[in-house]
Structure formats: structure tokens, C-alpha cells
Amino acid sequence: MAENEQKKRIAIFGSTGSIGTQALDVIRANAQMLEVEILTAQTNAPLLIKQALEFSPNAIVIGDETKYNEVKEALATTSIKVFCGEKALEEAADFDTYDVMLGAIVGFAGLKPTLRAIKKGKVIALANKETLVVAGDIVMQTALENRAPIIPVDSEHSAIFQCLVGESRNPIEKIILTASGGPFLGKKPNFLVNVKRDHALQHPNWNMGAKISIDSATLMNKGLEMIEAKWLFNLQPHQIEVVVHPQSIIHSMVQFEDGSVKAQMGLPDMKLPIQYALGFPERIKNDYPRLNFRKYPSLTFEEPDYKTFRTLGLAIEALKAGGNKACVLNAANEIAVWAFLKNRIGFLDITAVVEQTMEAIPFIAKPTLDEYFESDGEARNFAASVMKM
Ligand code: NDP
Ligand code: MG
């Protein structure tokens, strides 16, 4: 980067999470070109305070209003502005003073602030896949209207994005999303029925937040990623394929109309797609470990076990149906995963709750944003009632 170029000012929404903290690692290592403008957290006040003291952002938001005084007092001797509550999250997204929003909030809660940032024409580095799963049509249309580039952070979508650089005139025949298979690859329902929270949280290749770790164990994560890909790359359902690749070295592939397949590879480390999105269009030099092919004498591929991991089939149903189906699927899944993490339901109950909720909530073919919010609320209530919570 030339010396007289301005630093990119980054707003990290969800800075205390797995993606947020890794993004701060990237920014710390690249302080000559990246700086922190906004940080947000939901409840983790101690970490947010620590991050604020290190990175001196202009403003921070703590979602949980009961934590406001604690944060405000800890930063009283600084000039950092402190806000709290859900509304403040949206207002912060509206600030003029940042360039790139890193959307690293987990779940549906990321939708509103991301939409606000899109309406401001910001560059969106998007990790929060649920935003696209819930309302992908509105999000992408709004991004187009406001010329807000959306750069994926999810490793599979970052891989596809990277494969597509320089190919804007060449239609995609299909994309192939790779899936590690999660911690229960090869297991059958008689095993899964007894699976407990702590086991499900242990992913073989990635260290992630609790919700996405459970989604990876059920394969719902791959289903959400199929829907995410549909919107990001403007694809039809039949153009999106999933293949299980347990080594997580090929992060995904694009097949073009001449049959040529491009793959993006690397060691599984989320700092790489985060860094790519924050640096885009430049690649930032780093000294992270390099991929040594000799250590991976075989890269293997297999069909997902749709019979055992039925959430993947449910997500494909939502992908094909369109309308509010994916929004309903996502809401039910968020509620069910939360209940599983609290040891209130079993692992396989997650699938049952999502399935029943998808059957129960009325289909809307072309929802407005308000209707997406209503569908989300209805699905959450229904899912909770199924679990008698
Ligand atoms: P984490 O649970 O680790 O972090 C979530 C972040 O969002 C935290 O900062 C949390 O604050 C904040 N948050 C939680 N609930 C709310 C809410 N209701 N309103 C506002 N903020 C909230 O999640 P991850 O970092 O694992 O994942 C973030 C997103 O990125 C997800 O959508 C996930 O699917 C996606 N992603 C993650 C990957 C990974 O490797 N982790 C890989 C690919 C995609 P607090 O800490 O205070 O609770
Ligand atoms: Mg992914």
C-alpha cells in the first residue's frame, strides 16, 4: 500500500466472537493499512472493553443494556463513544466514519445492521450467512441499488469468489461446495441420538462459535451455505452441489461451461478468508503456515449421507421452494440449536423441530422485509412450542 493511501476503517459487528477476534488478529498484524472504527458485542463486556482499550475505536456498542454502565465506566478516561441496545447497533451501522463492515454477528440478529450498512453503500465483508439465508433477495437487491459490494468471508464462498475473479464474462455451470462432514462423519442415527453438547462442539478442522459448530455437526451449516451461495452468485438450485471432503483443503470449486473446474485451496484457517475480504482487491502478505501437499497425500471426496443428516435435505427443500421457507428454516434452527446447547433437547430433535416448523408456518412466495420478520417470529414461537419451552 502506498504511504499516502488512507487506512481502511473497519467496523466489526460481533467483535467478541470467533470471527470477530480473528479479524482483530488480522488488523493487529496489518495496522499500516487497516484500523478499527467500531466494535460491537452482545454480552461479553470484559472482552469488548479489552478490545476497545487496545484498538481505540471511535465507537462501541454493547447489545445488552444491563452491561452499559460497566463498559462506560471502564472507558471513562478515553474518548471512545459507548452505546447500548439493539437500536444503537443499527445506528452505528449508519455512521459515515467507516469503510468496511465486517458482519460477524451470529444469526438473524445480523440482518438489520447489515441492511443499514448496505443502504449506506458500505463494503460488506459478510460472515453472517444467516442474513442471506433469511432475506437474500432483499439483501442482494438493496446491495445492487446502493452499489454496496458484498465480499464473502465464509470460507467456501470466499473460495468461489476467488475462483471467479477475472471470469465475469464466463457463466458458471455449477459450483461445488466442500463440506468437512463435521465431527460425526460416518455416524448413524443410533449413535447420533445419544450425542451430547460437548461432543457436538468439537469440530475436527475448525474452531468456531457454538452455533455454527452445532450447524456443522448436523450439516445444517452446509444447507445454509447452499442458500447463501444461491444469493451471492445468482445461481439456480441445480447449479449448487455439495461434496464431503474431510481434509478441508479445497475450500470449494467452480465449474465453467467448458467443463474446466477451478478450486481454491489452503490450510483451514478463517484468518485467510477474513484477511482476503478486508484486503480485497489486494492480497495481504502474511507469514501464516503454508499448505504442504506432502502432508496431504490423499484428498478425498464422497457423497453426503442425506439419510442420516436430514437437515441438509430440509435446507435443500427451502432452497428450492424460495419465498419465506429458508427464513422459517433458519428461525427454527436457531431456536432448536439454542435448546440443544442448553441440554434441553437431543441432537436429532433439532431436525424434528426444524421439519415440523417448516410444515406449520404458511408459505409466502415473495415476502416483504416485514413479512420476513413476521415469519421469523412465528417460526421461533412455533419451534419453542414444539419443544414446550
Ligand atoms: P460467535 O458466537 O463466536 O460470535 C458471535 C458474535 O455476535 C459475538 O460478538 C456476540 O457477542 C455477537 N452477538 C451474539 N448475539 C447477538 C445479538 N443478538 N445481537 C448482536 N450481537 C450478537 O459466532 P462466530 O464468530 O462463530 O460466527 C459469526 C457468524 O459468522 C455466524 O453467522 C457464522 O455462521 C459465520 N461464520 C463463522 C465461521 C467461524 O469460523 N466461526 C466460519 C464461517 C462463517 P457476545 O460475544 O457478547 O455474545
Ligand atoms: Mg463455511
Side-chain angles (χ1 to χ4, degrees), residues 336-377:
V337 168
W338 178 81
F340 174 73
L341 285 169
K342 298 247 180 250
N343 296 315
R344 293 196 186 152
I345 62 170
F347 186 76
L348 292 178
D349 296 333
I350 299 173
T351 317
V353 170
V354 172
E355 188 169 32
Q356 287 177 45
T357 309
M358 285 173 73
E359 278 166 16
I361 303 301
F363 181 67
I364 307 174
K366 187 93 185 79
T368 61
L369 191 58
D370 285 344
E371 284 171 329
Y372 277 125
F373 276 89
E374 284 159 22
S375 294
D376 174 82

Short mmCIF file of all heavy atoms in Angstrom, two decimals, residues 336-377:
data_model
loop_
_atom_site.label_atom_id
_atom_site.label_comp_id
_atom_site.label_asym_id
_atom_site.label_seq_id
_atom_site.Cartn_x
_atom_site.Cartn_y
_atom_site.Cartn_z
N ALA A 336 -33.81 -24.27 17.96
CA ALA A 336 -33.51 -25.67 18.31
C ALA A 336 -32.04 -25.83 18.72
O ALA A 336 -31.74 -26.54 19.68
CB ALA A 336 -33.84 -26.58 17.13
N VAL A 337 -31.14 -25.15 18.03
CA VAL A 337 -29.72 -25.25 18.38
C VAL A 337 -29.49 -24.64 19.77
O VAL A 337 -28.75 -25.19 20.60
CB VAL A 337 -28.83 -24.56 17.31
CG1 VAL A 337 -27.40 -24.39 17.80
CG2 VAL A 337 -28.87 -25.34 16.02
N TRP A 338 -30.15 -23.54 20.03
CA TRP A 338 -30.03 -22.90 21.34
C TRP A 338 -30.49 -23.88 22.43
O TRP A 338 -29.84 -24.02 23.46
CB TRP A 338 -30.87 -21.62 21.32
CG TRP A 338 -30.90 -20.86 22.60
CD1 TRP A 338 -29.94 -20.01 23.07
CD2 TRP A 338 -31.94 -20.88 23.58
NE1 TRP A 338 -30.33 -19.51 24.29
CE2 TRP A 338 -31.54 -20.02 24.62
CE3 TRP A 338 -33.17 -21.54 23.66
CZ2 TRP A 338 -32.34 -19.81 25.74
CZ3 TRP A 338 -33.95 -21.32 24.79
CH2 TRP A 338 -33.54 -20.47 25.80
N ALA A 339 -31.63 -24.55 22.17
CA ALA A 339 -32.16 -25.51 23.16
C ALA A 339 -31.21 -26.69 23.34
O ALA A 339 -31.00 -27.18 24.46
CB ALA A 339 -33.55 -26.00 22.72
N PHE A 340 -30.62 -27.15 22.24
CA PHE A 340 -29.65 -28.26 22.34
C PHE A 340 -28.43 -27.83 23.16
O PHE A 340 -27.94 -28.58 24.00
CB PHE A 340 -29.23 -28.71 20.93
CG PHE A 340 -28.13 -29.75 20.95
CD1 PHE A 340 -28.40 -31.05 21.34
CD2 PHE A 340 -26.83 -29.41 20.60
CE1 PHE A 340 -27.38 -32.01 21.39
CE2 PHE A 340 -25.81 -30.35 20.65
CZ PHE A 340 -26.09 -31.65 21.05
N LEU A 341 -27.97 -26.60 22.92
CA LEU A 341 -26.80 -26.10 23.67
C LEU A 341 -27.10 -25.98 25.17
O LEU A 341 -26.21 -26.04 25.99
CB LEU A 341 -26.36 -24.74 23.11
CG LEU A 341 -25.61 -24.79 21.77
CD1 LEU A 341 -25.45 -23.40 21.18
CD2 LEU A 341 -24.24 -25.46 21.94
N LYS A 342 -28.38 -25.82 25.48
CA LYS A 342 -28.78 -25.75 26.91
C LYS A 342 -29.16 -27.14 27.43
O LYS A 342 -29.79 -27.24 28.50
CB LYS A 342 -30.00 -24.82 27.07
CG LYS A 342 -29.75 -23.39 26.66
CD LYS A 342 -29.81 -22.48 27.87
CE LYS A 342 -29.57 -21.06 27.52
NZ LYS A 342 -28.41 -20.40 27.90
N ASN A 343 -28.87 -28.17 26.65
CA ASN A 343 -29.19 -29.56 27.03
C ASN A 343 -30.68 -29.80 27.23
O ASN A 343 -31.08 -30.65 28.01
CB ASN A 343 -28.44 -29.97 28.31
CG ASN A 343 -26.94 -29.95 28.09
OD1 ASN A 343 -26.46 -30.45 27.07
ND2 ASN A 343 -26.21 -29.37 29.01
N ARG A 344 -31.52 -29.03 26.53
CA ARG A 344 -32.97 -29.21 26.70
C ARG A 344 -33.55 -30.19 25.69
O ARG A 344 -34.63 -30.73 25.92
CB ARG A 344 -33.68 -27.87 26.55
CG ARG A 344 -33.34 -26.94 27.68
CD ARG A 344 -34.31 -25.79 27.76
NE ARG A 344 -33.85 -24.87 28.78
CZ ARG A 344 -34.08 -23.57 28.77
NH1 ARG A 344 -34.82 -23.05 27.83
NH2 ARG A 344 -33.62 -22.81 29.73
N ILE A 345 -32.90 -30.35 24.56
CA ILE A 345 -33.36 -31.33 23.57
C ILE A 345 -32.17 -32.15 23.09
O ILE A 345 -31.01 -31.73 23.27
CB ILE A 345 -34.08 -30.67 22.35
CG1 ILE A 345 -33.11 -29.75 21.57
CG2 ILE A 345 -35.31 -29.90 22.78
CD1 ILE A 345 -33.68 -29.27 20.23
N GLY A 346 -32.48 -33.29 22.45
CA GLY A 346 -31.42 -34.15 21.94
C GLY A 346 -30.94 -33.67 20.57
O GLY A 346 -31.56 -32.81 19.94
N PHE A 347 -29.85 -34.26 20.10
CA PHE A 347 -29.23 -33.85 18.83
C PHE A 347 -30.19 -34.04 17.66
O PHE A 347 -30.35 -33.15 16.82
CB PHE A 347 -27.95 -34.67 18.64
CG PHE A 347 -27.14 -34.25 17.45
CD1 PHE A 347 -26.37 -33.10 17.49
CD2 PHE A 347 -27.13 -35.02 16.30
CE1 PHE A 347 -25.61 -32.72 16.38
CE2 PHE A 347 -26.38 -34.65 15.19
CZ PHE A 347 -25.62 -33.49 15.24
N LEU A 348 -30.85 -35.20 17.62
CA LEU A 348 -31.73 -35.46 16.47
C LEU A 348 -33.03 -34.67 16.55
O LEU A 348 -33.73 -34.49 15.55
CB LEU A 348 -32.02 -36.96 16.35
CG LEU A 348 -30.81 -37.82 15.95
CD1 LEU A 348 -31.19 -39.30 15.90
CD2 LEU A 348 -30.23 -37.38 14.60
N ASP A 349 -33.35 -34.17 17.75
CA ASP A 349 -34.56 -33.33 17.88
C ASP A 349 -34.43 -32.04 17.08
O ASP A 349 -35.44 -31.44 16.68
CB ASP A 349 -34.81 -32.97 19.36
CG ASP A 349 -35.12 -34.20 20.20
OD1 ASP A 349 -35.63 -35.18 19.63
OD2 ASP A 349 -34.83 -34.18 21.42
N ILE A 350 -33.19 -31.59 16.87
CA ILE A 350 -33.00 -30.35 16.09
C ILE A 350 -33.69 -30.51 14.73
O ILE A 350 -34.45 -29.65 14.30
CB ILE A 350 -31.49 -30.03 15.90
CG1 ILE A 350 -30.82 -29.81 17.26
CG2 ILE A 350 -31.30 -28.82 14.99
CD1 ILE A 350 -29.30 -29.66 17.21
N THR A 351 -33.44 -31.65 14.08
CA THR A 351 -34.04 -31.91 12.76
C THR A 351 -35.56 -31.93 12.86
O THR A 351 -36.26 -31.34 12.01
CB THR A 351 -33.58 -33.29 12.23
OG1 THR A 351 -32.19 -33.42 12.48
CG2 THR A 351 -33.88 -33.45 10.77
N ALA A 352 -36.07 -32.61 13.88
CA ALA A 352 -37.53 -32.75 14.02
C ALA A 352 -38.19 -31.38 14.21
O ALA A 352 -39.24 -31.09 13.61
CB ALA A 352 -37.84 -33.67 15.19
N VAL A 353 -37.57 -30.53 15.03
CA VAL A 353 -38.15 -29.20 15.29
C VAL A 353 -38.16 -28.38 14.00
O VAL A 353 -39.17 -27.73 13.66
CB VAL A 353 -37.34 -28.47 16.39
CG1 VAL A 353 -37.78 -27.02 16.50
CG2 VAL A 353 -37.49 -29.18 17.72
N VAL A 354 -37.07 -28.43 13.26
CA VAL A 354 -37.00 -27.65 12.01
C VAL A 354 -38.04 -28.17 11.02
O VAL A 354 -38.78 -27.38 10.40
CB VAL A 354 -35.58 -27.72 11.40
CG1 VAL A 354 -35.54 -27.08 10.02
CG2 VAL A 354 -34.56 -27.06 12.33
N GLU A 355 -38.15 -29.47 10.90
CA GLU A 355 -39.09 -30.07 9.95
C GLU A 355 -40.53 -29.69 10.28
O GLU A 355 -41.29 -29.23 9.41
CB GLU A 355 -38.92 -31.59 9.97
CG GLU A 355 -39.71 -32.28 8.89
CD GLU A 355 -39.31 -33.76 8.76
OE1 GLU A 355 -38.95 -34.37 9.79
OE2 GLU A 355 -39.36 -34.27 7.63
N GLN A 356 -40.89 -29.84 11.54
CA GLN A 356 -42.28 -29.53 11.93
C GLN A 356 -42.59 -28.05 11.74
O GLN A 356 -43.68 -27.68 11.33
CB GLN A 356 -42.51 -29.92 13.39
CG GLN A 356 -42.60 -31.42 13.58
CD GLN A 356 -42.76 -31.78 15.05
OE1 GLN A 356 -43.54 -31.19 15.77
NE2 GLN A 356 -41.98 -32.75 15.50
N THR A 357 -41.62 -27.20 12.04
CA THR A 357 -41.85 -25.75 11.89
C THR A 357 -42.02 -25.40 10.41
O THR A 357 -42.90 -24.61 10.05
CB THR A 357 -40.69 -24.96 12.52
OG1 THR A 357 -40.47 -25.43 13.83
CG2 THR A 357 -41.01 -23.48 12.56
N MET A 358 -41.22 -26.02 9.56
CA MET A 358 -41.34 -25.74 8.12
C MET A 358 -42.71 -26.16 7.58
O MET A 358 -43.24 -25.53 6.67
CB MET A 358 -40.23 -26.46 7.34
CG MET A 358 -38.87 -25.79 7.48
SD MET A 358 -37.56 -26.78 6.74
CE MET A 358 -37.87 -26.54 4.98
N GLU A 359 -43.24 -27.24 8.15
CA GLU A 359 -44.57 -27.69 7.71
C GLU A 359 -45.67 -26.75 8.20
O GLU A 359 -46.67 -26.54 7.53
CB GLU A 359 -44.85 -29.10 8.24
CG GLU A 359 -44.22 -30.18 7.39
CD GLU A 359 -44.21 -31.54 8.08
OE1 GLU A 359 -44.95 -31.72 9.07
OE2 GLU A 359 -43.42 -32.40 7.63
N ALA A 360 -45.45 -26.16 9.39
CA ALA A 360 -46.54 -25.43 10.05
C ALA A 360 -46.69 -23.98 9.59
O ALA A 360 -47.81 -23.45 9.53
CB ALA A 360 -46.30 -25.45 11.56
N ILE A 361 -45.60 -23.33 9.27
CA ILE A 361 -45.68 -21.89 9.00
C ILE A 361 -46.12 -21.66 7.55
O ILE A 361 -45.53 -22.22 6.62
CB ILE A 361 -44.31 -21.20 9.26
CG1 ILE A 361 -43.85 -21.46 10.70
CG2 ILE A 361 -44.38 -19.70 8.96
CD1 ILE A 361 -44.78 -20.97 11.80
N PRO A 362 -47.16 -20.82 7.35
CA PRO A 362 -47.67 -20.62 5.99
C PRO A 362 -46.61 -20.08 5.04
O PRO A 362 -45.78 -19.25 5.43
CB PRO A 362 -48.79 -19.57 6.18
CG PRO A 362 -49.13 -19.61 7.63
CD PRO A 362 -47.91 -20.07 8.37
N PHE A 363 -46.66 -20.58 3.81
CA PHE A 363 -45.69 -20.19 2.79
C PHE A 363 -46.04 -18.83 2.21
O PHE A 363 -47.21 -18.55 1.92
CB PHE A 363 -45.65 -21.24 1.68
CG PHE A 363 -44.65 -20.95 0.60
CD1 PHE A 363 -43.29 -20.99 0.87
CD2 PHE A 363 -45.06 -20.61 -0.69
CE1 PHE A 363 -42.35 -20.71 -0.11
CE2 PHE A 363 -44.13 -20.34 -1.68
CZ PHE A 363 -42.77 -20.39 -1.39
N ILE A 364 -45.06 -17.97 2.06
CA ILE A 364 -45.24 -16.68 1.36
C ILE A 364 -44.23 -16.67 0.21
O ILE A 364 -43.02 -16.82 0.44
CB ILE A 364 -44.99 -15.47 2.29
CG1 ILE A 364 -45.82 -15.58 3.57
CG2 ILE A 364 -45.28 -14.17 1.56
CD1 ILE A 364 -45.52 -14.50 4.60
N ALA A 365 -44.73 -16.50 -1.02
CA ALA A 365 -43.85 -16.65 -2.17
C ALA A 365 -42.89 -15.47 -2.35
O ALA A 365 -41.74 -15.65 -2.72
CB ALA A 365 -44.69 -16.82 -3.44
N LYS A 366 -43.38 -14.27 -2.08
CA LYS A 366 -42.50 -13.09 -2.30
C LYS A 366 -42.64 -12.15 -1.09
O LYS A 366 -43.29 -11.11 -1.17
CB LYS A 366 -42.94 -12.41 -3.61
CG LYS A 366 -42.05 -11.29 -4.07
CD LYS A 366 -41.00 -11.78 -5.06
CE LYS A 366 -40.01 -10.69 -5.45
NZ LYS A 366 -38.96 -10.43 -4.48
N PRO A 367 -42.02 -12.50 0.01
CA PRO A 367 -42.23 -11.72 1.24
C PRO A 367 -41.60 -10.33 1.17
O PRO A 367 -40.57 -10.14 0.53
CB PRO A 367 -41.53 -12.55 2.32
CG PRO A 367 -41.17 -13.84 1.69
CD PRO A 367 -41.11 -13.62 0.22
N THR A 368 -42.24 -9.39 1.85
CA THR A 368 -41.61 -8.09 2.09
C THR A 368 -40.68 -8.26 3.28
O THR A 368 -40.72 -9.30 3.96
CB THR A 368 -42.67 -7.04 2.47
OG1 THR A 368 -43.31 -7.49 3.67
CG2 THR A 368 -43.72 -6.87 1.38
N LEU A 369 -39.89 -7.23 3.59
CA LEU A 369 -38.99 -7.33 4.73
C LEU A 369 -39.80 -7.55 6.02
O LEU A 369 -39.43 -8.38 6.86
CB LEU A 369 -38.13 -6.07 4.84
CG LEU A 369 -36.97 -6.15 5.83
CD1 LEU A 369 -36.02 -7.30 5.51
CD2 LEU A 369 -36.20 -4.83 5.87
N ASP A 370 -40.91 -6.83 6.14
CA ASP A 370 -41.75 -7.01 7.34
C ASP A 370 -42.26 -8.44 7.43
O ASP A 370 -42.33 -9.01 8.52
CB ASP A 370 -42.96 -6.06 7.31
CG ASP A 370 -42.53 -4.63 7.63
OD1 ASP A 370 -41.42 -4.46 8.17
OD2 ASP A 370 -43.30 -3.70 7.32
N GLU A 371 -42.62 -9.00 6.29
CA GLU A 371 -43.12 -10.40 6.30
C GLU A 371 -42.01 -11.38 6.68
O GLU A 371 -42.27 -12.40 7.31
CB GLU A 371 -43.75 -10.74 4.95
CG GLU A 371 -45.13 -10.11 4.81
CD GLU A 371 -45.73 -10.23 3.41
OE1 GLU A 371 -44.97 -10.25 2.41
OE2 GLU A 371 -46.97 -10.28 3.33
N TYR A 372 -40.78 -11.08 6.28
CA TYR A 372 -39.66 -11.93 6.74
C TYR A 372 -39.56 -11.87 8.26
O TYR A 372 -39.37 -12.90 8.92
CB TYR A 372 -38.34 -11.50 6.11
CG TYR A 372 -38.09 -12.04 4.71
CD1 TYR A 372 -37.80 -11.19 3.64
CD2 TYR A 372 -38.13 -13.41 4.46
CE1 TYR A 372 -37.58 -11.69 2.37
CE2 TYR A 372 -37.90 -13.91 3.18
CZ TYR A 372 -37.62 -13.04 2.15
OH TYR A 372 -37.39 -13.54 0.88
N PHE A 373 -39.68 -10.67 8.81
CA PHE A 373 -39.60 -10.54 10.27
C PHE A 373 -40.75 -11.28 10.94
O PHE A 373 -40.57 -11.94 11.96
CB PHE A 373 -39.56 -9.07 10.68
CG PHE A 373 -38.16 -8.50 10.60
CD1 PHE A 373 -37.69 -7.94 9.43
CD2 PHE A 373 -37.30 -8.60 11.68
CE1 PHE A 373 -36.39 -7.46 9.33
CE2 PHE A 373 -36.00 -8.11 11.60
CZ PHE A 373 -35.55 -7.55 10.42
N GLU A 374 -41.94 -11.18 10.34
CA GLU A 374 -43.10 -11.89 10.91
C GLU A 374 -42.89 -13.40 10.83
O GLU A 374 -43.15 -14.13 11.80
CB GLU A 374 -44.39 -11.50 10.17
CG GLU A 374 -44.91 -10.13 10.57
CD GLU A 374 -45.84 -9.54 9.52
OE1 GLU A 374 -46.43 -10.31 8.72
OE2 GLU A 374 -45.97 -8.30 9.49
N SER A 375 -42.42 -13.87 9.69
CA SER A 375 -42.19 -15.32 9.53
C SER A 375 -41.16 -15.80 10.55
O SER A 375 -41.30 -16.88 11.14
CB SER A 375 -41.68 -15.65 8.13
OG SER A 375 -42.67 -15.38 7.18
N ASP A 376 -40.13 -15.00 10.74
CA ASP A 376 -39.10 -15.36 11.71
C ASP A 376 -39.72 -15.50 13.11
O ASP A 376 -39.48 -16.49 13.81
CB ASP A 376 -38.00 -14.30 11.71
CG ASP A 376 -36.96 -14.53 12.80
OD1 ASP A 376 -36.05 -15.35 12.57
OD2 ASP A 376 -37.08 -13.92 13.88
N GLY A 377 -40.52 -14.51 13.48
CA GLY A 377 -41.14 -14.53 14.81
C GLY A 377 -42.08 -15.71 14.98
O GLY A 377 -42.04 -16.43 15.99
#
